[in-house]
Amino acid sequence: MVAIAAGPGAAQQVQKPAPAPKPTQVHVMVVVNHVSQHPGPVDPAAAKLERRLRPDFKYKSVRVIQTEQMSLALNQTGSLTLPTGRLLKVKPRKLGQRGLLMTVEIEGTLRTSLRVPNHHQVVIGAQNYQDGKLVVTLEPDYEYP
């Protein structure tokens, strides 16, 4: 917006500062875990998930199977093939003060929209796998003015 002042002196131009650009790129850490009732170790790489699940779920072992850092533009879809052969799709839609709105789909089983605050982990129970279940965690990382 430009304003011009007229009067007895020279004209002055006053400019309003441009708004800060909105981020166009987000990073989503995707971790595919296997939880099982069979005795075994708790993978140190799954420690954050294990702390979240322990109070509510009974299992005896947790291990990380896959980890992928997705760098995506808004409305760009990232995908990852799960050990079951199904495709996991992640699509960041919109950034706001309350978090990142993203669509998550696991081919043939789940399609949902989630709003996740920056650096917060969302846990999705995916499918039966081997002697247990797959558990997918998604954790966005982005800058918001």
Side-chain angles (χ1 to χ4, degrees):
M1 176 177 195
V2 176
I4 299 175
Q12 284 185 322
Q13 212 175 17
V14 180
Q15 283 191 331
K16 185 178 180 181
K22 289 191 176 184
T24 58
Q25 184 102 7
V26 298
H27 306 284
V28 180
M29 178 61 74
V30 180
V31 181
V32 181
N33 303 274
H34 179 254
V35 297
S36 174
Q37 290 293 328
H38 287 86
V42 172
D43 187 339
K48 187 174 182 180
L49 172 66
E50 200 270 336
R51 283 191 304 273
R52 288 192 66 194
L53 294 181
R54 185 183 319 148
D56 299 316
F57 297 96
K58 296 196 184 301
Y59 54 87
K60 295 181 180 167
S61 65
V62 181
R63 65 184 168 100
V64 173
I65 297 175
Q66 286 176 270
T67 301
E68 183 162 332
Q69 176 77 35
M70 294 184 182
S71 294
L72 302 167
L74 294 179
N75 294 308
Q76 177 187 6
T77 301
S79 61
L80 171 72
T81 302
L82 297 172
T84 58
R86 296 198 186 227
L87 202 58
L88 167 74
K89 295 179 184 177
V90 177
K91 183 176 185 177
R93 305 293 303 239
K94 185 177 178 183
L95 277 171
Q97 288 181 327
R98 295 184 348 210
L100 171 66
L101 178 64
M102 60 183 162
T103 301
V104 178
E105 180 180 351
I106 297 176
E107 193 176 55
T109 62
L110 170 77
R111 182 174 171 83
T112 189
S113 292
L114 308 164
R115 185 173 306 278
V116 185
N118 201 14
H119 302 290
H120 282 77
Q121 189 181 71
V122 63
V123 178
I124 299 170
Q127 303 170 291
N128 291 331
Y129 180 69
Q130 294 178 348
D131 63 346
K133 300 220 181 264
L134 289 182
V135 175
V136 176
T137 63
L138 305 168
E139 186 173 334
D141 177 17
Y142 54 87
E143 291 190 28
Y144 186 76

